[in-house]
Structures are given as structure tokens and as C-alpha cells.
Amino acid sequence: ILNNCRHVHLRDISIVHSPLWNVRLNDCDRVTVHGVYIYSDLEKGVNADGIDIVSSRNVTISDSIIETADDAIVLKAIARDGEPARPVENVTVTNCVLTSSSTALMIGTETQADIRHVLFNNCVIRNSNKGFGINVQDGAVVSDVIVSNLTVETARRHWNWWGSAELCKLVLKKRTPSSKLGAIRDITLANVTARVRGTSTIVGHPERPIENVRLSNINLTMLP
């Protein structure tokens, strides 16, 4: 766990069999993760996210291999220590190999501040329950996200895991009836080849549609 850190470099390390979140960046700035190997048991590590980017900015993750039961790489905005949550912004993930019993590349569900300017590019996703997801429940705006140049292969897990062997799922909802309603807009999914078993969905809220989602050059094979 790194709290309120600047100029962080995580390079050429292995993190194996963590029972919980493997790497958590809280309110960090200018972080580089390169050449990291993370592994947790795909059945036992039910809360073992690979890398959690929490209320952080200017983060680059590259050339890493992550195999985790929970989300492999996930962006969240969470309030800490009595202070409001800070936005997540300027995040690049590239040239990674990812496996997850939940979602390989995830945004949410904790969305107490905006998440914006995100690029997921040039990744291989294998043996995952979902390729890519956005789930906004806490009133934030998720915007300006590009997901491109992926090769994806999904495999369905037991129903209690997040996902259903789909390529992607975008969901806008309220965590509770009194929660603020957020937004999802300006999302691009391009240049993807995927072999999947579940149906991808884009689900807005009755009070607010999801806006400006662009799908381009998607080669999707549905398997039984």
C-alpha cells in the first residue's frame, strides 16, 4: 500500500499469493509500474485484485503479467481519512498480459470522484471472466476512456464471480436509492479480437443514458 506518494517506480518485482489487493496506490502521483509479475490463486484469492489505482493520477503500467482471482487492473475513487475522494486521471496501461476470474481491465465500482483520461492499449487477456468493464454507482463521471488493440479470450466462472465470460460490460446505476447519479460518456472500444461466451452489455439508467460510446473494428466470436 502506497499512500500519498510521488515519483514512484515499481520495477521487476514479483508479488505472489496475496490474499487481498496486491498493489494499492492511494492518492499517488507520477507512478510507473514496469515489468511486474503478480499472481494469486484464481479460486482462493476472491479479493486479490492485482493493481488498484485509487484516487491517483499520472500512472503508467506496462510490460507486466498479472494473474488474479479478482480484477487484474482496476481504477477506483475512494474517500480516505475523512477527506473527499480525489479524481483518477491520466492513466495508461499497455503491453500487459492479464488473467482474471473477474475483470481484466476494470473501472469502478467505487466511483466517489471522477475518473477520466484513461488508455488501455495493446494487452492480451486470457482465461478471464470479463475483458473490460465500467461500473459507476457512487455519482462520479467516467469519461474519455479508450480501450484498443486487445486480444481477448474469456472463460466463464461460477455465478458468484463478477462477469459472465463477456468482452465488456458498461453499467450506470445508484448504489442505494439515495446515491447521487453519475455518468458514463465518451468511451471508445476499437481494434479488438475476442473469443467469448457471454453477451456484452451497455446499460444506462432510466434518468440518464450512457453517452457517446464508439465501437470500431470489433471481431467477436461467440462460443457455446
Side-chain angles (χ1 to χ4, degrees), residues 79-91:
R80 292 192 313 117
D81 301 327
E83 297 293 329
R86 298 177 182 177
V88 178
E89 57 188 353
N90 310 333
V91 176

Side-chain angles (χ1 to χ4, degrees), residues 93-96 120-124 148-150:
V93 177
T94 188
N95 298 342
C96 293
F120 295 147
N121 185 48
N122 289 351
C123 290
V124 172
S148 61
N149 302 323
L150 304 182

Side-chain angles (χ1 to χ4, degrees), residues 146-150 167 187-193 213-220:
I146 297 176
V147 182
S148 61
N149 302 323
L150 304 182
L167 170 61
I187 311 298
T188 297
L189 182 63
N191 302 327
V192 175
T193 297
V213 177
R214 299 185 180 187
L215 307 179
S216 175
N217 193 27
I218 310 297
N219 183 349
L220 191 65

Side-chain angles (χ1 to χ4, degrees), residues 35-46:
V36 168
Y37 174 71
I38 296 174
Y39 174 83
S40 70
D41 190 283
L42 290 176
E43 293 184 359
K44 296 178 182 179
V46 294

Side-chain angles (χ1 to χ4, degrees), residues 102-107 120 125 128-135 145 147-148 150 152-154 162-171 187-190 192 194-203 210 213-216 218 220 222:
S102 294
T103 308
L105 294 166
M106 183 66 190
I107 298 175
F120 295 147
I125 296 172
S128 293
N129 204 17
K130 187 194 303 163
F132 162 68
I134 299 176
N135 191 321
V145 177
V147 182
S148 61
L150 304 182
V152 180
E153 179 186 86
T154 66
W162 290 87
S164 186
E166 67 267 61
L167 170 61
C168 65
K169 185 173 185 178
L170 279 58
V171 179
I187 311 298
T188 297
L189 182 63
V192 175
R195 295 172 65 84
V196 303
R197 288 174 170 81
T199 300
S200 295
T201 53
I202 301 173
V203 184
I210 293 176
V213 177
R214 299 185 180 187
L215 307 179
S216 175
I218 310 297
L220 191 65
M222 300 291 294

Side-chain angles (χ1 to χ4, degrees), residues 3 57 75 109 115 128 133 136 153-154 164 173-174 184 218:
N3 294 323
R57 62 217 59 84
L75 282 54
T109 66
I115 299 175
S128 293
V136 175
E153 179 186 86
T154 66
S164 186
K173 61 192 300 185
K174 294 182 179 182
I184 299 174
I218 310 297

